[in-house]
Amino acid sequence: MSSLLSDANQRLEKALRYVTIDEDVATRLHYPKASLMVSIPVRMDNGSLRVFQGYRVRYDDSRGPTKGGVRFHPSVSMDEVQSLAFWMTFKCAVLNLPFGGAKGGITLNPKELSKFELERLTRGYVDAIADFIGPDIDIPAPDVYTNQMVMGWMMDQYSIIQRKITPAVVTGKPISMGGSLGRETATAMGAFFVMQRALPQLGQSPQDTTVAVQGFGNAGAIIAELLYHAGYKVVAVSDSKGGIYAPQGLDIPSVRHIKEANRQLKAVYCAASVCNDVEHDVITNEQLLELDVDVLVPAALENQITAENADRIKAKYIFEVANGPITSSADTMLEERGIEVFPDILVNAGGVTVSYFEWVQNRSGFYWPLEEVNNRLEKSMTVETENIWAIARDLKVSLRTAAYVHALNRLDAAIKAKGTRDYYMN
C-alpha cells in the first residue's frame, strides 16, 4: 500500500477498535474501488507537444456516486489522489451525504501554462476520463489550483462528448452555467461554522483568541477574513512563498486586497485606495505552524505537521481546513500534549456539502438563494460537530477518531444493505 494511503489507513485502524461493524466492511474500506491513470497530450502555444499525467480515483460508492475535487499541482501522484479519495469517502459519510469518495488531479505547475494551454489541458483530461465520470457515477469539483472557470471547461467538454447539456457532471461551476450560490466560499464558511460552534464551548471568546492561518488561497483567505470580521485576532497568514506575523493582529481585508491586486502577501492597512505597511515580521510556513497562538488553521497542503515538528506546536486548538495536514504519528504526539485537533473530514466538509446542494439544484432545475444555501450548510455543519463531540466524549477518544467512528457506522449500514458474510452465513 502507498505511503500516504497507508498513513491514512492508520486512522481507520484506530477507529475500528471502537465500532462493531461487519468484517467485510473493514476489508472493503482498505482499498480503492477503481483507480485510473491517463496521459494527456497538449499542444503548447509555441507549437511543442507536452504530455501530462492525470489521475482519477473512485474510492467507495456504497452510499452513492463518488464525489471529489480535481487538483492541478506539481505534487499530484496516484498515492496522493488515492489518499484524498479515501478521506472524501469518510467526509461524505460524516456529513451524511449520499455520496462516496473520489479525487483527481494532474501533475503540473499551472502557473507555467497560459490560459489557452490550461484550457486545452482541462478538456484533454475530460476526454481521457469521460467514461469514468458522470452525474450518477462520479462528480468532480474544484480543488487546489482549479476554479470555476476550470469546472466550466470540464462541464462543457463532457457535454460535447455526451451531445447534451449535463450540468450535474461537475460542481463548483460558474453561476451562469448552473453553479450554486455560496459554493466558492463553502469550504471556509463550513469551517467557520464549526469554529463558531466549538470555540465558545472551549472558553475562547473572539476578542481574546489569537489565530494563525497557513495557506492564503481560496479557503485560507476566506476563513481568515470571516474570523477577522467575527472579532478574532488573526496574527499570522502565509502563502506558498512565506508568511507575515503581527502580534497586534492583521487587517485581513487589506491583506487580501494587496494579495489579489499584486499577488504579494504584505502586512498593510488600507483606507480607500491608500495602503500603508504596518509593523510585522516576515516568517516561513514552518515558523507560522510553531507560533504561540490559541488557534492554528492549516489551510495549505497535506503533511505539514509531522513527527519532526509536532513537539514544537504551541497552539491549543487546530482546525484542519486543508486535507491531511497532520500525519498519524504527529496526531498521537499532539493528543498526548493535550492539543485538540478538529479533523479535516469535518472541518473542511463545507465544500462537498454545498457541492451536494449544487448537484441537487442541477438535477431539479430549481436554484436556491444564498441565504438558504448558507442556512442549510450551517445546520449540517453544526449538527455533525455536535454528533462527533458527543461520540468523543462517550468513547473518551480524540475528535478525529470520533469522526471516523461516526463515518464508519454510516458506511457499515450502507455496505451491509447489499449483503455481507454475516447475512449469507446465518
Side-chain angles (χ1 to χ4, degrees):
M1 187 177 293
S2 61
S3 57
L4 271 175
L5 186 57
S6 177
D7 191 72
N9 265 283
Q10 288 190 38
R11 273 77 181 260
L12 173 59
E13 291 294 342
K14 192 170 184 179
L16 286 170
R17 303 173 200 163
Y18 299 95
V19 292
T20 303
I21 63 173
D22 195 282
E23 183 182 343
D24 288 10
V25 176
T27 301
R28 284 273 299 274
L29 292 173
H30 276 97
Y31 304 95
K33 179 172 183 176
S35 301
L36 179 67
M37 181 168 66
V38 297
S39 296
I40 311 158
V42 176
R43 183 68 61 187
M44 308 303 283
D45 292 345
N46 65 4
S48 66
L49 183 72
R50 283 184 63 185
V51 178
F52 297 87
Q53 205 72 58
Y55 308 90
R56 188 70 188 173
V57 173
R58 300 199 307 257
Y59 200 93
D60 181 84
D61 60 2
S62 303
R63 290 174 50 83
T66 53
K67 189 82 188 72
V70 176
R71 61 175 52 183
F72 291 173
H73 194 272
S75 72
V76 168
S77 65
M78 181 60 80
D79 180 19
E80 180 185 58
V81 173
Q82 286 184 340
S83 302
L84 292 164
F86 170 91
W87 286 318
M88 281 300 302
T89 299
F90 288 85
K91 190 183 302 182
C92 290
V94 162
L95 267 292
N96 206 20
L97 306 178
F99 289 142
K103 210 73 177 185
I106 304 174
T107 309
L108 80 153
N109 181 354
K111 297 176 183 178
E112 296 177 352
L113 272 64
S114 72
K115 292 178 181 177
F116 295 109
E117 291 166 339
L118 201 61
E119 180 181 2
R120 291 195 287 271
L121 174 66
T122 301
R123 291 181 182 275
Y125 177 65
V126 174
D127 286 342
I129 68 168
D131 294 333
F132 203 73
I133 62 174
D136 298 304
I137 303 168
D138 175 30
I139 307 108
D143 199 86
V144 177
Y145 290 128
T146 53
N147 55 22
Q148 287 189 4
M149 181 65 79
V150 171
M151 291 303 112
W153 290 332
M154 286 190 177
M155 177 211 147
D156 185 56
Q157 190 64 24
Y158 185 84
S159 297
I160 290 169
I161 294 167
Q162 297 296 318
R163 296 187 179 275
K164 61 182 178 181
I165 304 301
T166 316
V169 68
V170 300
T171 57
K173 304 176 295 293
I175 300 299
S176 59
M177 296 178 72
S180 174
L181 294 170
R183 174 60 186 87
E184 196 166 8
T185 60
T187 300
M189 189 67 75
F192 178 69
F193 289 142
V194 173
M195 296 174 77
Q196 283 285 78
R197 186 64 174 171
L199 288 171
Q201 293 191 35
L202 295 166
Q204 295 289 151
S205 59
Q207 64 272 18
D208 298 320
T209 302
T210 54
V211 183
V213 180
Q214 186 207 35
F216 208 65
N218 184 48
I222 295 171
I223 189 66
E225 187 158 352
L226 288 169
L227 291 168
Y228 171 85
H229 287 304
Y232 292 89
K233 186 186 288 187
V234 182
V235 298
V237 297
S238 67
D239 60 14
S240 59
K241 298 175 183 176
I244 51 177
Y245 169 56
Q248 72 275 18
L250 295 163
D251 187 84
I252 298 300
S254 298
V255 174
R256 281 195 75 189
H257 170 72
I258 292 296
K259 173 73 175 178
E260 290 167 6
N262 304 326
R263 295 188 177 182
Q264 289 184 315
L265 194 61
K266 296 180 68 177
V268 295
Y269 174 77
C270 299
S273 60
V274 179
C275 296
N276 296 306
D277 290 348
V278 299
E279 186 177 346
H280 69 281
D281 295 325
V282 176
I283 59 174
T284 64
N285 271 289
E286 294 74 18
Q287 289 171 326
L288 181 143
L289 294 172
E290 297 168 15
L291 289 173
D292 188 2
V293 293
D294 298 308
V295 175
L296 175 62
V297 181
L301 295 173
E302 60 268 11
N303 293 349
Q304 298 299 298
I305 300 176
T306 66
E308 282 68 44
N309 64 352
D311 61 344
R312 299 194 297 274
I313 303 300
K314 301 181 184 70
K316 299 175 187 174
Y317 309 104
I318 301 176
F319 290 81
E320 294 183 320
V321 174
N323 287 305
I326 303 174
T327 65
S328 58
S329 56
D331 246 348
T332 303
M333 296 170 68
L334 295 172
E335 188 176 350
E336 288 172 350
R337 295 180 55 213
I339 297 173
E340 194 89 79
V341 176
F342 287 77
D344 49 1
I345 60 172
L346 168 67
V347 176
N348 72 20
V352 71
T353 302
V354 178
S355 277
Y356 166 59
F357 297 163
E358 181 176 333
W359 181 75
V360 168
Q361 292 170 82
N362 289 158
R363 295 173 76 88
S364 68
F366 180 77
Y367 292 84
W368 309 339
L370 179 60
E371 183 180 7
E372 181 172 354
V373 172
N374 284 336
N375 285 343
R376 287 175 179 267
L377 175 61
E378 182 174 15
K379 181 178 179 181
S380 295
M381 300 303 294
T382 301
V383 165
E384 301 306 345
T385 298
E386 292 293 347
N387 285 337
I388 289 167
W389 217 322
I391 293 169
R393 183 176 58 248
D394 293 345
L395 297 179
K396 296 181 173 57
V397 295
S398 70
L399 290 167
R400 189 187 309 281
T401 297
Y404 276 90
V405 167
H406 193 36
L408 276 169
N409 286 327
R410 286 173 170 164
L411 287 161
D412 179 59
I415 293 172
K416 275 183 178 176
K418 299 176 184 178
T420 60
R421 181 180 183 278
D422 285 349
Y423 171 78
Y424 292 112
M425 300 305 292
N426 288 327

